[in-house]
Amino acid sequence: MADLKDHSLSVVIQHEIEQLLLSGELGAGSRINEKQLAEKLGVSRAPVREATRALQQVGLVDIIRNRGVFVRNVNLKDVVAIFDIRVALARLAAAEAARRMTPTAVRTLADLIERMHTAGSADEYLPLNLEFHRQIFLMSDNARLAQLDSSLGKELRLYRLRGLRSAGSMQTSNEEHRAIFAALADRNPELAGRLFEQHVLAGRDRFLATVDQQAPPGPRKRGRPRKQPA
């Protein structure tokens, strides 16, 4: 029972640490002091340690032996590069999934879309969003493709959450899901692949918009405006 209690508590602590990351209180490269965090939250160190291990699994922190736990330092260029790689994977996965759609697969995706429609927050929406994407990759019947996307996706979890928290993003994201779903249900590989590709690109752009909003205004320069990273 004690182990079960610690495990349940670690999920809550994991969420608390994610909020510190999102707010910027814990910046990239900063060390997470397990003892101080446990004291701040009024818990023992065991569930904090379990929470940091879970965060390591999703690519948000690095645990370095004899040094401690550190917020993973992924720069903007790396984030954009990962998004762009996932664009190509998404197109292939959706095209293959469309060729293999079954009535059960259609029901699974339809249920996820409806659950996302009623989600009350980005924190509630994101796991459903991730599952929708995961199901499409599983339906492609290409285990290596699904594994590669899962590995890359872990590194983007925090950044995708930031993008979904901007006004109207969840609704827009799910409208894109509905269009992808319709193409999959119609067994249209070309359209499904193109729409899923565009959806991942749109997710990248939603994240980049949050970066632009947080950047301090600099001196205005003459000449052509700088292009957004693509």
Side-chain angles (χ1 to χ4, degrees):
M1 289 297 294
D3 289 343
L4 179 60
K5 182 179 179 181
D6 279 349
H7 177 72
S8 301
L9 188 56
S10 72
V11 175
V12 176
I13 295 171
Q14 180 181 343
H15 178 73
E16 290 295 325
I17 297 173
E18 289 176 348
Q19 297 309 303
L20 294 174
L21 294 170
L22 285 167
S23 69
E25 187 172 339
L26 284 175
S30 61
R31 184 174 181 269
I32 298 176
N33 188 309
E34 290 184 351
K35 182 175 182 294
Q36 289 182 357
L37 186 59
E39 291 174 351
K40 178 180 178 181
L41 298 175
V43 299
S44 69
R45 294 181 64 175
V48 174
R49 189 173 299 112
E50 186 175 345
T52 57
R53 287 172 181 164
L55 290 169
Q56 181 189 37
Q57 290 297 313
V58 297
L60 296 184
V61 304
D62 290 319
I63 300 177
I64 304 175
R65 188 175 181 180
N66 298 324
R67 290 188 59 195
V69 182
F70 296 85
V71 179
R72 191 166 185 201
N73 192 1
V74 180
N75 62 40
L76 181 59
K77 183 178 179 181
D78 289 339
V79 172
V80 173
I82 294 170
F83 267 113
D84 289 347
I85 293 170
R86 295 185 77 242
V87 165
L89 300 182
R91 187 180 191 110
L92 176 59
E96 292 302 313
R99 296 186 178 98
R100 294 169 170 79
M101 287 301 289
T102 65
T104 299
V106 169
R107 288 193 297 270
T108 297
L109 295 180
D111 177 64
L112 285 168
I113 287 174
E114 289 309 308
R115 291 168 65 190
M116 281 185 279
H117 178 69
T118 58
S121 68
D123 298 274
E124 184 181 350
Y125 181 92
L126 181 60
L128 298 169
N129 176 68
L130 296 176
E131 181 62 16
F132 180 83
H133 287 220
R134 189 179 78 90
Q135 285 296 329
I136 293 176
F137 275 88
L138 291 177
M139 292 167 188
S140 74
D141 197 29
N142 186 328
R144 296 296 293 272
L145 181 64
Q147 183 180 29
L148 180 57
D149 180 75
S150 176
S151 177
L152 291 170
K154 289 177 181 179
E155 301 183 55
L156 292 179
R157 183 177 178 184
L158 183 62
Y159 306 100
R160 292 165 78 179
L161 184 57
R162 279 176 54 175
L164 288 170
R165 282 185 166 168
S166 58
S169 291
M170 289 193 301
Q171 180 180 348
T172 300
S173 173
N174 213 27
E175 287 172 356
E176 294 164 4
H177 288 158
R178 291 184 185 278
I180 295 165
F181 169 69
L184 288 168
D186 287 343
R187 299 176 64 90
N188 187 329
E190 182 179 352
L191 181 58
R194 184 169 72 251
L195 289 174
F196 200 21
E197 175 187 63
Q198 291 172 353
H199 174 61
V200 176
L201 283 171
R204 180 202 66 184
D205 292 343
R206 280 189 281 271
F207 160 69
L208 289 174
T210 69
V211 175
D212 291 341
Q213 291 167 8
Q214 293 176 358
R220 297 186 64 179
K221 297 181 181 180
R222 295 182 179 180
R224 295 181 179 177
R226 188 178 60 182
K227 292 183 178 179
Q228 294 288 341

